Amino acid sequence: MATFSYEELLQAHTELWDLTFGYLKSMALECAIKLGLPNAIHRRGGAATLPDLLDAVSVPGSKKAHLPRLMRFLAAFGIFTADAPAAGERANGEAAGAVYGLTPVSRLLVDDAGANGSCGSLSPFVLSQTTKYHVKAAMHLPEWFVSDDGAAAAEMPFRTAHGTDLWGVMDRDPKMNQVFNAGMGSDTQLAMDFVIGNYGDVFDGVTSLVDVGGGTGSAARAIAKAFPHVKCSVLDLPNVVDSIPPDGVVEYISGDMMSSIPATDAVFLKYIMHDWNDEDCVKILTQCKKAIPESGGKVIIVDIVVGSPLKAMLEAQVSFDLLMMVITGGKERDEHEWRKIFMDAGFSHYKTRPVLGFMAITELYA
């Protein structure tokens, strides 16, 4: 039996508390975004005192005394910096307290983060992943694991909680549909900046591309802007694309990737495969193979390949995998699992490269 020192157990006690209350991190992050705290600090030139923040955000008088505690929490976890004020600095006759600043994390939450060529704001992405639907589904995880009867026997906790899958919820809740697609769009902007800037060669020789499950077209528009000679289309479900007005840049096609994908030089799949089980992934890739030419055609996949040697990256990868277990019937895959899917779908040649930290870009050749 393993034995641990008193000091190790004390440290473990602290870590256990941190894990137990981990849900408060995402809720506090959501609160910071909805209060507009990153934007308020940014508008003050990147440094703001508590009185500055109280003047900038809409907080009732009865809640103002609680804002320092929220800011202390967010600073402790690296969302903001908190520096001591200059000697003698005062605000309204009282000590101003800490001066809060932006970290790289909170800089990504500023609404104009895409200005001057920088990465776009990821606030919509955070809000799309902290919805009541996500939180309630996660709360059903223990019930889902131990039960094989009734609603708890569903293929994922999300269905146990809501009686349908994520796409069913978005179909019946227009606000959720809007929030989710805005979130995917914001994250896509960041991802595509990296892909196009560092791996633009994946689009060499491509004259037409279909972004399968491409939502509102953020990725397709980025590709079309960077490579004007490429005719870009988006294939997605009717509730996603039918309300999008034509923009003359991207063609929007209503359809089901499981049934058919329009003929094209390249199929683009960003954060799609992890939503589906292995059998469905093979079906999707089989349709992709039918859509591309035998000579020169390719499928471009941007997704996670689990197994990073870096602790922070691996934690992000396995967190996404647990999210997929909760809200979809899919999973994040390691290199061997990806290879099996590729081979089962009839692809024998592929190339994978790391991109965007814990993500990877894979080219499948017909």
Side-chain angles (χ1 to χ4, degrees):
M1 179 181 294
T3 58
F4 302 98
S5 68
Y6 184 67
E7 290 74 16
E8 288 175 318
L9 291 175
L10 284 178
Q11 178 62 30
H13 178 255
T14 300
E15 292 176 5
L16 186 61
W17 274 51
D18 190 35
L19 287 168
T20 300
F21 301 119
Y23 66 93
L24 291 172
K25 297 178 187 179
S26 56
M27 294 299 99
L29 183 60
E30 179 188 46
C31 184
I33 293 171
K34 290 186 173 180
L35 289 177
L37 295 173
N39 289 328
I41 294 173
H42 182 65
R43 285 195 296 266
R44 298 287 302 190
T49 63
L50 184 64
D52 293 334
L53 294 177
L54 289 171
D55 287 342
V57 302
S58 180
V59 178
S62 61
K63 303 296 192 304
K64 288 185 176 182
H66 301 292
L67 188 60
R69 296 162 66 187
L70 175 64
M71 294 302 298
R72 179 175 62 183
F73 181 95
L74 292 166
F77 288 102
I79 309 303
F80 300 118
T81 61
D83 298 324
E89 186 176 337
R90 300 278 170 174
N92 298 324
E94 300 292 335
V99 178
Y100 299 101
L102 298 174
T103 64
V105 172
S106 49
R107 184 65 182 89
L108 286 175
L109 303 176
V110 174
D111 283 347
D112 69 343
N116 300 318
S118 64
C119 299
S121 172
L122 291 183
S123 285
F125 175 77
V126 174
L127 297 180
S128 74
Q129 302 301 312
T130 54
T131 71
K132 62 182 181 181
Y133 295 108
H134 287 71
V135 174
K136 185 177 179 181
M139 292 175 67
H140 280 74
L141 184 59
E143 173 192 357
W144 176 79
F145 250 112
V146 301
S147 179
D148 202 25
D149 299 310
E155 60 182 319
M156 82 273 302
F158 193 96
R159 189 182 292 276
T160 301
H162 305 296
T164 186
D165 59 19
L166 177 62
W167 293 271
V169 163
M170 290 194 293
D171 192 42
R172 72 190 188 195
D173 185 343
K175 183 177 180 181
M176 174 60 181
N177 185 54
Q178 181 181 16
V179 168
F180 185 82
N181 284 312
M184 294 300 98
S186 72
D187 187 67
T188 293
Q189 181 179 341
L190 174 66
M192 294 311 299
D193 284 346
F194 276 90
V195 170
I196 291 171
N198 298 283
Y199 300 91
D201 59 293
V202 301
F203 303 105
D204 288 351
V206 173
T207 60
S208 61
L209 177 145
V210 175
D211 183 2
V212 173
T216 56
S218 297
R221 285 195 300 273
I223 295 169
K225 180 179 179 181
F227 308 99
H229 65 282
V230 179
K231 178 184 177 183
C232 294
S233 306
V234 170
L235 175 72
D236 215 316
L237 297 172
N239 66 294
V240 177
V241 300
D242 282 356
S243 61
I244 300 176
D247 59 10
V249 178
V250 174
E251 179 185 3
Y252 292 91
I253 303 169
S254 176
D256 182 355
M257 62 186 173
M258 296 290 186
S259 301
S260 177
I261 296 174
T264 181
D265 287 346
V267 174
F268 189 73
L269 297 164
K270 174 188 165 291
Y271 306 169
I272 299 299
M273 304 293 281
H274 67 183
D275 290 336
W276 303 93
N277 61 38
D278 291 351
E279 181 181 351
D280 285 335
C281 283
V282 171
K283 290 179 181 178
I284 294 168
L285 289 179
T286 299
Q287 293 299 332
C288 291
K289 198 168 190 298
K290 292 178 181 178
I292 61 177
E294 292 185 6
S295 177
K298 68 167 69 175
V299 179
I300 304 168
I301 300 173
V302 178
D303 223 318
I304 289 174
V305 178
V306 177
S308 173
L310 302 177
K311 182 175 183 293
M313 297 296 184
L314 181 61
E315 288 178 352
Q317 291 175 339
V318 297
S319 293
F320 256 85
D321 183 48
L322 193 63
L323 175 67
M324 293 302 102
M325 186 169 70
V326 169
I327 69 171
T328 76
K331 60 188 291 189
E332 303 298 351
R333 298 171 172 89
D334 62 26
E335 183 179 354
H336 298 293
E337 291 170 313
W338 278 115
R339 178 179 174 81
K340 185 178 187 307
I341 290 173
F342 299 157
M343 298 300 110
D344 288 349
F347 290 93
S348 56
H349 304 291
Y350 68 94
K351 178 172 63 177
T352 298
R353 293 178 283 178
V355 63
L356 195 62
F358 59 93
M359 295 287 178
I361 186 165
T362 298
E363 298 169 78
L364 295 178
Y365 305 102

